Amino acid sequence: MREKRFEVVVAGCGVAGLSAAVAAAEAGARVAVLERAPPEERGGQSRYTEAYLRMKSEAEVTDDFETHLAENSSGTLDPDLIAESAQPRGQRAAYAAALSMAEPDVIATFADEAGPTIAWLKGFGLRFDFLPTQFLTRSQPRLLPVGGGLALVDGLAARAEALGVKMLYDTTAERLERDEDGRVAGLLARSRQAGPVRLHGRVVLACGGFEGNAEMLARYIGPRAAFLRPICKGAHFNRGDGIRMALELGAATAGDFGSYHAEPIDPRSGVSEPSVFIFPYGILVNKDGHRFTDEAPGTVDAHYESITRRIFEQRDGIVYVVLDAKHQRVPNYRRALRTDQPPIVADSLGALAAKLAVPPAALAATVRDYNAACVPGNWRPLEADGLATQGLDPPKSNWALPIDEPPFHAYPIISANVFTFGGVKVDSDARVLDGDGAPIEGLYAAGEIIGTYYRTYTGATSVLKGLVFGRLAGRHAARRDNAA
């Protein structure tokens, strides 16, 4: 078997892995990056995302950043355990040493290091701005890299290559290896062209979740995962290998393994992230022609995930947004439609029902009841206007106008699996922790593989998490005092 020696070996070539590689190389380490994909497809999901960042400036995260993460950082825990987790790590009771939750100090580090990480990225040419997004209404600002995730991947990769990082494409990490003292000392990998190879060095796992692994999806999320689809083609490279390898070494878990980040997409489209965010201006009906949720409880950026989860619960995991001609008077409404497929259009609700294969009588009754519950008011499409239905169950809390002006439009919607929530637990240096809450020496994690979220995703934090903890992991892994 071929053997190669480095000081830091990074599994994954998205923004998390590349950030780790660049930070380690800047600190003087010899670094290798393993990428399952060929060079032209490198970057996994990172190359396809818009890369929204939940920041109010280039130096500061939003005001609700830490609060929202903390509120969605664990399952239902004994309050005494939560209090115990606030104790210094070495002073906690044994049963609280490795709770499956995002630690308060990790969340604080995430917030504190976001601004310095953006400044670091700008230092080698990446640019950021508050650019338009597909959300017509927003509760929080969104900073974006100019050029999106692909610009991040290309910029970081160019910096890594300039620093001499070895890029090993078409190469998959398969198993971690420990030395006689128990430290992670490298990994076994398989190159598509050259076969097996042993890579020596401290390891950063940055190879994503398990969106592309049908067996893990069924095992953790359940059989209905068959109705999910990855948000982009890059997600098919994310097969849970890093999680599996870390768990085999006794890594502690964090994040909700039975859940994922949900986004509403058009199943007819093959483009990356064909999102449909226009539904607050119409009604959502299932295959039986019935409404099942409040389509507009507030701004779409804050509520689309919870609504998409209700979509996932419907028969066959598919629903339709039904709109009338008035939605075309929403300013810039096409920005809320990333699908490349046209709407399904008809001049009558009966004709629309036939095209959707929805029972015509049921759809007609649903629209009739909804229209009767709409009341006069001031319709303000670009802000939460409080124009709500009355006496309708479920209600519609904003933008409730009757659906009565032809032509009628519809789009099918399913839930995409943007990324899975379950992963490994890390400390504020991105070191992977074991079941007793102690760092597994020589092993780090960054990006989606870090279990962080429960219930509701804190929007526009995933890419930022990859950048921040990738940089932290690479910087710490490169330290000479980490050597065996």
Side-chain angles (χ1 to χ4, degrees):
M1 180 184 295
R2 294 181 307 131
E3 300 202 14
K4 295 179 180 290
R5 294 191 176 274
F6 301 92
E7 290 171 294
V8 178
V9 178
V10 180
C13 191
V15 297
L18 288 169
S19 294
V22 170
E26 287 180 340
R30 300 186 309 278
V31 183
V33 173
L34 284 68
E35 170 62 296
R36 168 176 261 144
E40 64 274 12
E41 296 176 15
R42 71 183 179 191
Q45 298 211 89
S46 298
R47 71 178 290 118
Y48 294 97
T49 181
E50 295 287 344
Y52 301 141
L53 309 175
R54 198 181 186 100
M55 301 185 71
K56 64 182 181 182
S57 72
E58 291 182 355
E60 297 177 288
V61 296
T62 58
D63 294 337
D64 75 337
F65 189 94
E66 292 183 69
T67 301
H68 199 286
L69 281 169
E71 288 175 346
N72 295 279
S73 66
S74 68
T76 304
L77 291 179
D78 180 332
D80 291 342
L81 291 182
I82 296 174
E84 190 68 26
S85 72
Q87 297 293 327
R89 193 174 297 278
Q91 300 175 23
R92 297 177 194 174
Y95 51 73
L99 293 173
S100 188
M101 63 178 291
E103 298 283 352
D105 61 327
V106 173
I107 293 173
T109 296
F110 188 4
D112 292 343
E113 291 293 331
T117 298
I118 298 301
W120 173 67
L121 294 165
K122 290 178 66 180
F124 46 89
L126 289 163
R127 296 182 296 128
F128 299 84
D129 203 350
F130 288 92
L131 302 171
T133 75
Q134 68 252 53
F135 300 127
L136 299 179
T137 59
R138 285 179 289 165
S139 60
Q140 294 291 336
R142 295 287 193 267
L143 184 71
L144 285 87
V146 176
L150 182 57
L152 292 176
V153 169
D154 287 346
L156 282 161
R159 176 65 171 160
E161 290 163 352
L163 290 166
V165 172
K166 180 69 173 176
M167 309 294 284
L168 302 174
Y169 295 107
D170 292 315
T171 303
T172 300
E174 293 189 328
R175 190 175 78 235
L176 295 168
E177 292 201 322
R178 279 176 149 161
D179 63 19
E180 62 275 11
D181 295 316
R183 299 184 183 93
V184 171
L187 54 77
L188 293 178
R190 175 176 40 82
S191 165
R192 193 174 305 162
Q193 289 79 27
V197 59
R198 176 177 283 111
L199 302 170
H200 297 272
R202 294 175 290 282
V203 175
V204 180
L205 297 173
C207 39
F210 51 92
E211 307 85 54
N213 186 322
E215 186 273 336
M216 290 182 74
L217 289 171
R219 186 188 342 155
Y220 290 120
I221 294 175
R224 288 186 61 81
F227 297 126
L228 293 175
R229 194 178 98 187
I231 192 69
C232 64
K233 292 177 175 61
H236 291 285
F237 290 113
N238 292 356
R239 297 172 193 160
D241 300 305
I243 296 171
R244 172 187 54 78
M245 289 188 291
L247 294 183
E248 287 173 352
L249 263 63
T253 61
D256 185 352
F257 275 80
S259 193
Y260 65 97
H261 175 32
E263 186 172 312
I265 64 166
D266 184 343
R268 302 172 299 166
S269 176
V271 303
S272 174
E273 199 172 1
S275 50
V276 178
F277 288 117
I278 198 71
F279 58 80
Y281 303 105
I283 60 171
L284 290 168
V285 299
N286 56 27
K287 293 181 76 171
D288 299 317
H290 301 144
R291 290 179 66 245
F292 53 90
T293 192
D294 185 342
E295 298 87 352
T299 57
V300 69
D301 67 309
H303 294 280
Y304 74 83
E305 180 165 47
S306 61
I307 294 170
T308 305
R309 293 191 186 285
R310 294 300 318 281
I311 290 171
F312 179 53
E313 295 169 357
Q314 304 308 301
R315 180 159 64 93
D316 296 337
I318 190 169
V319 306
Y320 305 92
V321 56
V322 175
L323 306 138
D324 73 356
K326 290 190 287 294
H327 83 277
Q328 296 174 305
R329 296 198 281 274
V330 177
N332 299 314
Y333 78 92
R334 288 186 178 87
R335 275 206 351 240
L337 293 163
R338 291 283 295 273
T339 176
D340 61 347
Q341 297 299 305
I344 300 163
V345 182
D347 289 327
S348 69
L349 287 171
L352 186 68
K355 290 184 176 182
L356 301 180
V358 167
L363 180 61
T366 294
V367 173
R368 182 178 63 247
D369 292 346
Y370 166 76
N371 287 350
C374 293
V375 297
N378 185 15
W379 183 65
R380 302 186 301 277
L382 298 185
E383 60 183 284
D385 60 4
L387 185 57
T389 58
Q390 291 187 2
L392 188 67
D393 185 26
K396 185 177 180 185
S397 299
N398 290 280
W399 307 297
L401 293 182
I403 295 175
D404 57 7
E405 183 180 333
F408 300 97
H409 289 204
Y411 294 88
I413 302 176
I414 65 170
S415 173
N417 181 355
V418 183
F419 55 84
T420 48
F421 282 176
V424 300
K425 188 179 180 72
V426 300
D427 66 10
S428 55
D429 289 316
R431 296 180 297 178
V432 176
L433 303 179
D434 66 17
D436 295 317
I440 299 175
E441 295 298 331
L443 185 61
Y444 300 80
E448 291 175 14
I449 192 174
I450 297 176
T452 307
Y453 310 107
Y454 292 78
R455 293 181 296 276
T456 299
Y457 168 54
T458 302
T461 59
S462 180
V463 170
L464 191 58
K465 182 176 72 168
L467 295 167
V468 167
F469 285 96
R471 179 169 173 252
L472 292 171
R475 195 165 60 187
H476 196 279
R479 284 169 39 177
R480 293 296 186 266
D481 58 3
N482 286 332

